[in-house]
Amino acid sequence: MTHALRCSSTAVLLPPLLPACSYIYQYPGLNLFRTLPSGTEQAYSCAVFNSDGSMLASVGSAPDYMLTLWEWQTASTLLRCKAFSQEVYSIKFSPYFSGNLVTCGTGHIRFWKMATTFTGLKLQVKLSLCVIALLQGLAVLQHLAVSSSGDSFS
């Protein structure tokens, strides 16, 4: 099964259990545009574009669960870090605050922020909540995140 994402005239196909690459295709012609190498070890669990389409965030599944932020037009990695120690089912960029993301999955929800430090750009966890529920999706609101189970986090 191949998953596809679309952002304006570009589509991303995330092939499961193939070498750790994401393939960016032009849409609707489906011509290969870019290959994003080494985002995860085995498979991707989710991916999403930011609101202006300039960045792509992807999360790998077992065994590494790596969160990777890409400048996909140049096939370059902006930031990379471990998202969690269990499955991540959803990732969203905040439409209100540039550089803010939310991830959720098995027993957790995490709020992330891209921050410039004295050593360069970093991806920092601003808040991490352990929850006793299976979170499969979420909606990012201006001052609130709502999970698929109906719980809200401010």
Side-chain angles (χ1 to χ4, degrees):
M1 178 171 78
T2 300
H3 301 283
L5 293 173
R6 212 172 81 160
C7 178
S8 64
S9 63
T10 308
V12 177
L13 296 180
L14 305 173
L17 302 175
L18 293 176
C21 294
S22 291
Y23 302 96
I24 309 287
Y25 290 87
Q26 292 176 325
Y27 185 83
L30 296 180
N31 299 316
L32 183 62
F33 181 71
R34 291 276 184 271
T35 300
L36 308 179
S38 305
T40 189
E41 287 184 30
Q42 292 184 1
Y44 290 94
S45 60
C46 54
V48 67
F49 289 100
N50 66 347
S51 60
D52 68 8
S54 62
M55 280 191 293
L56 175 71
S58 64
V59 179
S61 60
D64 62 344
Y65 309 106
M66 292 301 290
L67 168 58
T68 307
L69 297 181
W70 306 88
E71 277 187 349
W72 62 270
Q73 298 93 335
T74 59
S76 59
T77 302
L78 280 175
L79 296 167
R80 218 167 162 240
C81 68
K82 189 166 185 80
F84 201 66
S85 58
Q86 295 178 24
E87 288 295 333
V88 176
Y89 298 117
S90 185
I91 182 169
K92 302 280 184 192
F93 279 97
S94 171
Y96 306 103
F97 304 103
S98 179
N100 287 10
L101 302 104
V102 181
T103 57
C104 71
T106 305
H108 79 282
I109 183 168
R110 277 193 165 171
F111 297 84
W112 303 81
K113 181 174 182 162
M114 292 172 57
T116 304
T117 67
F118 67 93
T119 59
L121 193 61
K122 304 285 183 201
L123 195 54
Q124 299 174 336
V125 176
K126 299 309 281 183
L127 178 64
S128 183
L129 301 170
C130 291
V131 293
I132 304 172
L134 177 62
L135 298 176
Q136 294 180 337
L138 54 96
V140 179
L141 307 174
Q142 190 163 4
H143 297 288
L144 188 70
V146 180
S147 72
S148 59
S149 63
D151 296 326
S152 62
F153 308 93
S154 57

